[in-house]
């Protein structure tokens, strides 16, 4: 893993602050009905992504996750303007406006969704890793899920086969405490989710998901194990989401005081504190980063606002073309 330096902290701060402001803007335009359907925001969990990206080789490693998936492709290298356009349902989006909030996808940058079925991405992540092993590719797949998804049978099936076949995959549970709106303590006899890996003799463990450094170190170990042929790892990132499960979540299951307590260990604040303590940047330089981030978010909003909606014909182009059924005309 590359050494964590002054430049790393400055990049983490700018990236995480941008992800936060990008999604704050999404929340705003959602209320204005510019983004429709569901909207699941990542606020509070940014250290998991920042640390993971630092440990990955973005030229060959892959990422797949559930529907809290807007900032991950940006971190992988996708143009944030295209991501916001996709959320708006515009033709300039990553999937020409046909995927929306829950199905962001960027094959070019090895980000494979964005999946709306709870736990549906887990066997897909194992399958991608199976392909890498079968074809002898030197790639590792990082497969993310929420704490609610580990109740799905597909999770256990995927872990079993991944361990049996020693697949190059890192399973990462982003345990933000409440799944869709019910605490882990009310849905499981065991609240230590990482221990589920023990049943498959899989290397596993808990990780402080609010600390980007710890995340980077633990994900790096897992990636190195996978890349060297040592098989999969299961990590439980203990993190917290500041917003509801989705924008329609009234959050009756927790108090505002609880949220405030977790905001005291905000991952962005932790990075900023280190920058200030070590004098990696002056106050003016930090303000310049903040200004740059807000300008980038404004550019994304402008791009999405000014982009066109897909033409009706695109509905027919986005289905399989059948040669012996020529009644649906395709243009793509």
């Amino acid at each position: 893993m590359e050494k964590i330096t002054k430049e790393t902290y400055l990049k983490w701060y700018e990236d995480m602050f941008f992800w936060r402001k990008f999604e704050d803007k999404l929340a705003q335009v959602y209320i204005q009905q510019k983004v429709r359907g569901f909207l699941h925001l990542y606020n509070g969990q940014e250290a998991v992504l920042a640390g993971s990206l630092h440990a990955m080789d973005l030229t060959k490693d892959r990422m797949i996750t559930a529907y809290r998936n807007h900032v991950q492709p940006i971190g992988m290298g996708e143009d944030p303007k295209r991501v916001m356009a996709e959320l708006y349902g515009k033709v300039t989006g990553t999937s020409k406006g046909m995927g929306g909030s829950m199905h962001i996808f960027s094959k070019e940058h090895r980000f494979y969704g964005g999946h709306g079925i709870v736990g549906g991405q887990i066997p897909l992540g194992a399958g991608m890793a199976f392909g890498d092993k079968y074809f002898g590719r030197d790639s590792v797949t990082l497969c993310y899920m929420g704490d609610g998804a580990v109740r799905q049978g597909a999770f256990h099936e995927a872990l079993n086969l991944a361990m049996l076949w020693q697949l190059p995959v890192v399973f990462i549970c982003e345990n933000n405490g409440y799944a869709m709106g019910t605490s882990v303590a009310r849905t499981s006899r065991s609240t230590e989710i990482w221990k589920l890996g023990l049943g498959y003799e899989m290397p596993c463990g808990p990780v402080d998901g609010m600390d980007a450094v710890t995340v980077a170190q633990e994900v790096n170990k897992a990636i190195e194990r996978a890349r060297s042929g040592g098989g999969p790892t299961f990590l439980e990132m203990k993190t917290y989401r500041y917003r509801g499960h989705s924008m329609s979540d009234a959050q009756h299951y927790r108090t505002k005081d609880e949220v405030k307590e977790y905001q005291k260990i905000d991952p962005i604040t932790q990075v900023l504190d280190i920058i200030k303590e070590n004098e990696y940047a002056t106050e003016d330089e930090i303000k310049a980063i903040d200004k740059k981030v807000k300008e980038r978010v404004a550019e994304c909003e402008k791009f999405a606002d000014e982009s066109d909606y897909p033409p009706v014909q695109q509905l027919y182009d986005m289905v399989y073309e059948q040669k012996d059924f020529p009644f649906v005309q395709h243009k793509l």
Side-chain angles (χ1 to χ4, degrees):
M1 185 178 74
E2 289 185 10
K3 188 177 179 182
I4 296 173
T5 63
K6 165 187 172 180
E7 287 70 28
T8 307
Y9 279 105
L10 290 172
K11 177 173 170 48
W12 276 348
Y13 176 68
E14 183 172 338
D15 286 349
M16 291 198 290
F17 190 58
F18 176 73
W19 301 336
R20 179 75 59 87
K21 290 301 179 182
F22 184 89
E23 292 213 315
D24 285 347
K25 177 57 67 175
L26 289 178
Q28 179 184 331
V29 298
Y30 184 87
I31 294 170
Q32 298 169 3
Q33 297 189 344
K34 292 181 179 181
V35 173
R36 305 295 183 93
F38 290 100
L39 184 68
H40 307 83
L41 302 177
Y42 202 65
N43 293 32
Q45 301 180 212
E46 293 91 351
V48 177
L49 178 58
S52 296
L53 290 171
H54 186 76
M56 294 173 72
D57 183 339
L58 297 184
T59 66
K60 57 187 175 183
D61 294 338
R62 298 184 182 85
M63 185 180 290
I64 186 169
T65 188
Y67 40 75
R68 204 176 300 281
N69 68 322
H70 312 132
V71 297
Q72 288 88 342
I74 297 172
M76 293 286 285
E78 183 57 81
D79 185 343
K81 295 196 291 294
R82 295 187 67 216
V83 174
M84 187 165 284
E86 184 61 35
L87 283 146
Y88 272 59
K90 298 298 185 72
V91 74
T92 53
T94 53
S95 296
K96 297 183 182 294
M98 304 296 282
S101 168
M102 299 173 75
H103 303 283
I104 306 294
F105 197 93
S106 178
K107 183 179 179 181
E108 177 187 359
H109 296 285
R110 289 165 293 282
F111 180 75
Y112 292 88
H115 295 268
I117 301 299
V118 175
Q121 76 280 11
I122 305 173
L124 294 177
M128 288 157 59
F130 176 84
D132 286 333
K133 183 165 186 177
Y134 184 85
F135 290 107
R137 295 188 291 248
D138 185 31
S139 302
V140 175
T141 296
L142 272 64
C143 178
Y144 297 80
M145 69 213 72
D147 48 284
V150 301
R151 316 290 170 225
Q152 292 281 16
F155 165 82
H156 298 273
E157 293 169 359
L159 261 65
N160 180 55
L161 289 177
M163 196 61 192
L164 180 66
W165 294 333
Q166 291 290 281
L167 301 181
V169 57
V170 182
F171 297 106
I172 297 175
C173 174
E174 296 185 85
N175 179 6
N176 58 32
Y178 290 103
M180 186 173 177
T182 306
S183 69
V184 174
R186 292 182 62 194
T187 58
S188 175
R189 179 67 182 86
S190 172
T191 57
E192 297 294 310
I193 291 175
W194 65 270
K195 291 182 179 179
L196 294 174
L198 297 175
Y200 305 98
E201 299 183 358
M202 183 181 294
C204 54
V207 181
D208 180 359
M210 303 298 273
D211 180 5
V213 174
T214 303
V215 172
Q217 291 169 341
E218 295 304 315
V219 172
N220 178 64
K221 292 176 188 175
I223 288 177
E224 285 188 341
R225 179 184 296 119
R227 211 184 305 280
S228 63
T233 302
F234 177 51
L235 299 174
E236 177 192 357
M237 303 284 175
K238 299 195 175 186
T239 183
Y240 197 82
R241 55 172 168 80
Y242 297 143
R243 292 184 178 269
H245 172 71
S246 70
M247 286 293 290
S248 59
D249 181 4
Q251 305 181 61
H252 293 311
Y253 47 83
R254 64 183 181 182
T255 65
K256 291 181 179 179
D257 287 339
E258 178 183 305
V259 177
K260 288 179 181 178
E261 281 300 307
Y262 275 95
Q263 287 175 333
K264 292 178 182 178
I265 55 169
D266 189 310
I268 300 176
T269 303
Q270 289 192 52
V271 169
L272 183 58
D273 285 345
I274 291 172
I275 290 172
K276 290 180 177 180
E277 287 169 13
N278 291 278
E279 298 182 350
Y280 289 157
T282 65
E283 286 294 335
D284 286 342
E285 287 170 335
I286 292 169
K287 288 178 182 178
I289 292 173
D290 295 350
K291 183 174 182 290
K292 177 183 174 183
V293 162
K294 291 171 184 176
E295 287 173 350
R296 285 182 67 201
V297 171
E299 288 173 5
C300 293
E301 181 184 18
K302 185 174 185 291
F303 178 81
D305 273 328
E306 294 178 353
S307 294
D308 293 327
Y309 285 104
V312 174
Q313 172 64 37
Q314 187 172 290
L315 288 171
Y316 304 104
D317 294 337
M318 294 298 183
V319 295
Y320 287 110
E321 187 168 6
Q322 189 173 329
K323 291 182 179 179
D324 60 352
F325 191 83
F327 306 103
V328 176
Q329 298 300 313
H330 293 259
K331 292 183 179 180
L332 293 181

